[in-house]
Amino acid sequence: MLITIIRIDGESDWLDISIPQAIFEQIYPYKYPLTKELNPWLNKVDEILIKIAENIYNQSSFVLAMIGEEISGDTNQENITAEYLEKTTCILPIHLQNRLEVQEKGEELSNRLRLF
């Protein structure tokens, strides 16, 4: 696993947690493409990553969290849309939920975070 902090002046900071697919292949019955339909064990992995995001938010609030294969840099809090939430696993704090008008959608997490 590789954890990287990316900081670019004038842009969003990123905390990137990368898990090589080879690790999943050693632990789980891995099938490509990496979808939950073909790999139901991904739900367990997502649960762990969601708990990590909640714990991070408790210590240092963030404006957007995304979970997925090759997801880094896919969008940011300024460009994300409600439609994007339909195809990507995201965790949004209340201010972004309000901006996108999705406060009543998704699954409620701790600290008024919502999972989409």
Side-chain angles (χ1 to χ4, degrees), residues 50-60 62 110-111 113:
I50 291 163
K51 289 295 178 195
I52 289 171
E54 286 181 290
N55 285 318
I56 289 170
Y57 191 85
N58 287 336
Q59 300 301 312
S60 178
F62 53 77
S110 62
N111 295 311
L113 294 170

Side-chain angles (χ1 to χ4, degrees), residues 38-93:
L38 293 176
N39 301 280
W41 51 266
L42 275 172
N43 291 310
K44 292 180 193 175
V45 173
D46 280 2
E47 286 176 22
I48 293 167
L49 293 171
I50 291 163
K51 289 295 178 195
I52 289 171
E54 286 181 290
N55 285 318
I56 289 170
Y57 191 85
N58 287 336
Q59 300 301 312
S60 178
S61 62
F62 53 77
V63 294
L64 171 64
M66 299 182 297
I67 299 173
E69 180 183 16
E70 302 292 332
I71 199 74
S72 297
D74 199 42
T75 192
N76 59 39
Q77 74 277 6
E78 294 168 3
N79 297 318
I80 194 168
T81 63
E83 292 78 26
Y84 184 84
L85 301 176
E86 295 173 11
K87 64 176 184 152
T88 306
T89 302
C90 294
I91 300 171
L92 276 58

